[in-house]
Amino acid sequence: KTAAKAHERNVQAKSQIKTLRKKFVSAVGASDEAAKKAAYSDFCSVLDKAAKHGIIPKNTAIRRKARAGAMLRKGAAEA
């Protein structure tokens, strides 16, 4: 019973990570600078929370944030 609840919570959190990553990637493709920063902030926040609760490993969160940041910088450089 407890394991099932934890599993459900973990699945929801991972789904939210994927959703926010998709939103971030589409925002990077757009030209609105404020939307890019907001999407990046939301994505990093959800990664940090997932890592804090043990849903994903800490280094995985760090790696994904670094890659997102690089994507953000690359998009800014191209614009």
Side-chain angles (χ1 to χ4, degrees):
K1 189 173 177 179
T2 306
K5 284 181 185 177
H7 175 72
E8 184 63 33
R9 211 169 30 244
N10 293 347
V11 168
Q12 273 186 328
K14 286 182 181 181
S15 175
Q16 189 179 21
I17 290 170
K18 291 173 192 171
T19 302
L20 288 176
R21 184 178 189 287
K22 288 173 193 168
K23 285 183 182 178
F24 170 70
V25 169
S26 64
V28 167
S31 60
D32 186 12
E33 201 64 38
K36 288 180 192 179
K37 288 193 169 141
Y40 176 72
S41 178
D42 291 343
F43 181 56
C44 288
S45 177
V46 78
L47 283 173
D48 286 335
K49 286 177 186 172
K52 183 173 96 174
H53 293 292
I55 295 165
I56 61 172
K58 183 179 74 168
N59 285 348
T60 300
I62 291 168
R63 183 180 69 244
R64 290 182 185 177
K65 288 193 314 184
R67 288 179 180 171
M71 201 185 289
L72 190 66
R73 287 188 298 279
K74 184 178 179 206
E78 289 174 355

